[in-house]
Amino acid sequence: MPPKLNKQPINVVEIDSSDDDGEDSVTIVACNSKSLPSNTKAQPQPQMPKPNNQTLECRSFWKAGGYAVNPAPRAAIDQGQLEHARVHPKFLHSNATSHKWAFGAIAELLDNAVDEIFNGASFLKIDKFDIKKDNSPALLFQDDGGGMNPESIRKCMSLGYSSKKSNKTIGQYGNGFKTSTMRLGADVIVFSRASSGSKATQSVGLLSYTLLLKTGQDDVIVPMVDFDISGHCAEPIIYSSQDDWTSNLNMILEWSPFESKDMLMQQFEDIGPHGTKIIVYNLWLNDEGVYELSFDDDDEDIQLRDEAHRGDQKKLHKKTVELRRHISYRFHFSLRAYASILYLRKFTNFRIILRGKLVEQYTIADDLMYPKTAIYRPQLGVTSKEVSAETTIGFIKQAPNLDALGINVYHKNRLIRPFWKVTGENSSKGRFIVGVLEANFIEPAHDKQDFERSSLFIRLEAKLKQMVMEYCLLGKKGRHQTNRVNPLTSVTLLCQLILEKKCILINLPICHICLRIME
């Protein structure tokens, strides 16, 4: 008989205003019971959902938000019983729309693995996973970090909970796992192993939009099962009753890619003593009815199909073809290219392995001609301590054949805005100039693909534009007064001379200013 633990059950996770992030009260309901405060009465146990004939209206992510159900009548609340805020399944979809870009969602899962470096993680594997149940592709993420115990995996599946409040960690909002997985596919299953002292556990959790829709739920149900693996075999951890545990297991087997308990347990075999495996399945399709993510165009990459196939390759200009080979363009559709620039500093004891091949990190600052470093000291306030941010700008090596430009802005080592054209999207100023900046003094948006447009951000934008303009052009007074040419402008002109064999100031053959600089 499986052991019955004498401790507080945790299969219904309540997150109130006292959690790490100060979020509003939210509850995600799992299928086991939880002890309630003494002034409440136990709720009836939810039964395993019965499948019906409903189907997803559309497998395209941007059209999959239509969710209409007739909520089951709920019993009146008894006197003295506390009601809780419920989360409608439609919120899972609307919450995931914060990711306009599928790679932004994948980056969130990369961040979670990178944060596990501080718990001993040495690798993250990203790969295609073949679902034998219906011969469909899925997306696999696996790391060897500290893993999650039963309590931690419930916090992971909850909305808004985060225990990451450190200058070392990237995650902070407690929402990335839910938004990212639901943006990539309709369903996700999580396997995790963790140990603390002599206690070792393994857990399985299922977050399934398909389950919730097809069974007509009006609350988020997250089936989970846990095992004690401290001994020689995996023993189920029972919180309320064996029936509840079995109900959770049966629901996972019905709605996951794994049809038996043995198949489920096999997923732990390559995890090791600790680590986490995430499988996102029922991947979203584009408007043409094919998968957003392409696994076939490159066996060592995962590509965004619509971006990679944009335009007729045969009719493209030679310079455009050359541009598309450069990382400033390839990161738009190649996960390997995007992952290579996603983190500013190179890892020493951590590897990102994409489809069996190591991702080589690319440091943009090391690939610039005539780099110039400037220090920006933003004014954060009267009482705030002074901070400084180092900005490196220079010419892209492939100029003028490659018309790449923009500042790559990082936050806590993580790329937020790649190749940001601070001089304006339609401006020709700043051509060939690329820069790198780590701006920890401004806050990124929740999807980590942009920054909150605060006054600090606006001042940073103006400062970066000024840096680029100073690097690019002479002022009017300096054009014909060689004794007033500053070193930064001299480097710029000399570099431009080498590249284009003409004077960029007056768009004529080499002028006397340029000759003076060359001397």
Side-chain angles (χ1 to χ4, degrees), residues 61-72:
F61 173 76
W62 297 107
K63 298 178 182 178
Y67 188 111
V69 298
N70 296 319

Side-chain angles (χ1 to χ4, degrees), residues 287-300:
D287 291 339
E288 282 69 45
V290 293
Y291 290 106
E292 279 186 303
L293 299 176
S294 171
F295 300 94
D296 303 324
D297 292 333
D298 189 333
D299 291 339
E300 296 178 346

Side-chain angles (χ1 to χ4, degrees), residues 180-474:
S180 58
T181 53
M182 292 293 98
R183 172 61 185 86
L184 297 169
D187 310 295
V188 59
I189 188 168
V190 181
F191 302 86
S192 196
R193 271 184 178 168
S195 60
S196 178
S198 60
K199 180 66 176 295
T201 61
Q202 64 185 30
S203 302
V204 184
L206 177 69
L207 183 59
S208 172
Y209 188 64
T210 304
L211 179 159
L212 299 169
L213 177 60
K214 287 190 175 183
T215 59
Q217 300 300 307
D218 63 351
D219 208 349
V220 176
I221 295 176
V222 183
M224 301 184 193
V225 291
D226 308 295
F227 300 85
D228 188 329
I229 57 172
S230 304
H232 295 291
C233 59
E235 296 288 345
I237 299 177
I238 309 298
Y239 298 107
S240 56
S241 71
Q242 177 68 49
D243 288 343
D244 281 342
W245 190 93
T246 303
S247 177
N248 275 266
L249 176 62
N250 289 339
M251 197 185 306
I252 291 172
L253 296 180
E254 181 173 1
W255 295 98
S256 79
F258 310 102
E259 298 177 303
S260 69
K261 181 182 174 183
D262 289 341
M263 293 176 64
L264 205 66
M265 301 299 279
Q266 285 174 8
Q267 295 304 310
F268 287 100
E269 291 181 358
D270 63 343
I271 291 181
H274 50 79
T276 299
K277 178 188 290 187
I278 298 170
I279 299 174
V280 184
Y281 59 104
N282 283 330
L283 300 176
W284 296 115
L285 311 179
N286 64 12
D287 291 339
E288 282 69 45
V290 293
Y291 290 106
E292 279 186 303
L293 299 176
S294 171
F295 300 94
D296 303 324
D297 292 333
D298 189 333
D299 291 339
E300 296 178 346
D301 200 0
I302 297 173
Q303 298 187 355
L304 284 179
R305 189 181 307 275
D306 294 341
E307 290 286 344
H309 296 167
R310 181 180 293 178
D312 187 346
Q313 300 290 331
K314 296 180 180 180
K315 297 180 180 180
L316 292 177
H317 190 273
K318 183 179 179 181
K319 285 190 175 181
T320 304
V321 173
E322 186 173 355
L323 169 63
R324 290 194 171 194
R325 294 195 190 104
H326 191 260
I327 199 164
S328 61
Y329 184 86
R330 285 194 299 114
F331 84 90
H332 288 288
F333 65 88
S334 165
L335 181 59
R336 179 169 295 277
Y338 181 54
S340 71
I341 61 173
L342 188 59
Y343 302 102
L344 178 60
R345 290 174 286 279
K346 291 187 176 181
F347 300 120
T348 54
N349 298 309
F350 184 80
R351 299 170 297 152
I352 299 176
I353 303 169
L354 176 59
R355 304 200 72 181
K357 183 179 178 180
L358 179 69
V359 173
E360 298 287 349
Q361 289 184 267
Y362 174 74
T363 304
I364 298 170
D366 294 342
D367 201 28
L368 298 178
M369 294 190 299
Y370 305 100
K372 178 70 177 179
T373 299
I375 303 298
Y376 174 50
R377 294 182 174 85
Q379 298 297 320
L380 302 184
V382 179
T383 59
S384 301
K385 63 179 181 180
E386 183 179 277
V387 299
S388 62
E390 183 179 284
T391 305
T392 302
I393 56 176
F395 275 95
I396 197 76
K397 282 184 178 180
Q398 295 85 348
N401 295 324
L402 178 64
D403 199 5
L405 71 155
I407 308 297
N408 295 269
V409 187
Y410 291 76
H411 177 84
K412 291 185 179 180
N413 196 43
R414 159 73 139 82
L415 180 63
I416 305 297
R417 290 202 71 162
F419 296 96
W420 178 20
K421 299 177 182 178
V422 293
T423 56
E425 288 293 331
N426 299 320
S427 174
S428 61
K429 297 176 181 178
R431 290 179 64 193
F432 318 129
I433 297 176
V434 174
V436 179
L437 165 70
E438 185 173 25
N440 294 337
F441 54 88
I442 52 178
E443 288 297 320
H446 280 223
D447 66 349
K448 299 191 184 77
Q449 296 299 306
D450 205 344
F451 290 98
E452 299 290 351
R453 195 162 182 81
S454 62
S455 58
L456 279 173
F457 173 83
I458 294 172
R459 293 203 298 271
L460 172 64
E461 183 177 26
K463 183 64 177 180
L464 291 176
K465 183 177 181 180
Q466 178 186 344
M467 290 180 183
V468 170
M469 297 303 289
E470 287 179 353
Y471 193 92
C472 183
L473 298 172
L474 277 172

Side-chain angles (χ1 to χ4, degrees), residues 125-195:
K125 293 180 181 178
I126 311 169
D127 211 337
K128 176 188 177 185
F129 185 91
D130 294 315
I131 304 294
K132 296 180 181 179
K133 201 172 186 177
D134 59 3
N135 295 318
S136 65
L139 199 52
L140 168 72
F141 301 84
Q142 183 174 341
D143 67 66
D144 64 340
M148 293 179 284
N149 61 24
E151 184 178 1
S152 297
I153 195 172
R154 281 154 180 78
K155 290 177 179 178
C156 171
M157 296 288 194
S158 299
L159 298 169
Y161 189 95
S162 175
S163 58
K164 298 178 180 180
K165 285 296 183 182
S166 166
N167 290 330
K168 297 180 179 180
T169 57
I170 302 168
Q172 57 181 321
Y173 297 116
N175 206 28
F177 172 81
K178 279 74 63 175
T179 60
S180 58
T181 53
M182 292 293 98
R183 172 61 185 86
L184 297 169
D187 310 295
V188 59
I189 188 168
V190 181
F191 302 86
S192 196
R193 271 184 178 168
S195 60

Side-chain angles (χ1 to χ4, degrees), residues 14-192:
E14 294 183 4
I15 301 175
D16 55 30
S17 58
S18 63
D19 71 44
D20 292 355
D21 285 283
E23 301 285 340
D24 293 335
S25 175
V26 176
T27 301
I28 287 187
V29 181
C31 294
N32 292 349
S33 63
K34 178 181 186 291
S35 293
L36 299 174
S38 57
N39 63 338
T40 66
K41 296 182 179 180
Q43 293 281 351
Q45 296 302 311
Q47 299 299 315
M48 188 172 71
K50 302 292 185 183
N52 60 22
N53 294 325
Q54 286 183 279
T55 58
L56 288 171
E57 292 297 326
C58 184
R59 286 290 306 280
S60 169
F61 173 76
W62 297 107
K63 298 178 182 178
Y67 188 111
V69 298
N70 296 319
R74 292 184 175 267
I77 302 172
D78 295 334
Q79 186 175 3
Q81 181 178 338
L82 295 178
E83 175 66 300
H84 64 268
R86 301 199 316 276
V87 180
H88 193 280
K90 190 172 182 178
F91 179 72
L92 292 176
H93 182 271
S94 60
N95 193 37
T97 59
S98 61
H99 289 293
K100 303 297 186 293
W101 191 40
F103 280 0
I106 291 177
E108 288 276 6
L109 298 174
L110 267 67
D111 291 343
N112 288 344
V114 169
D115 283 343
E116 283 297 303
I117 292 175
F118 304 103
N119 291 321
S122 64
F123 70 83
L124 167 67
K125 293 180 181 178
I126 311 169
D127 211 337
K128 176 188 177 185
F129 185 91
D130 294 315
I131 304 294
K132 296 180 181 179
K133 201 172 186 177
D134 59 3
N135 295 318
S136 65
L139 199 52
L140 168 72
F141 301 84
Q142 183 174 341
D143 67 66
D144 64 340
M148 293 179 284
N149 61 24
E151 184 178 1
S152 297
I153 195 172
R154 281 154 180 78
K155 290 177 179 178
C156 171
M157 296 288 194
S158 299
L159 298 169
Y161 189 95
S162 175
S163 58
K164 298 178 180 180
K165 285 296 183 182
S166 166
N167 290 330
K168 297 180 179 180
T169 57
I170 302 168
Q172 57 181 321
Y173 297 116
N175 206 28
F177 172 81
K178 279 74 63 175
T179 60
S180 58
T181 53
M182 292 293 98
R183 172 61 185 86
L184 297 169
D187 310 295
V188 59
I189 188 168
V190 181
F191 302 86
S192 196

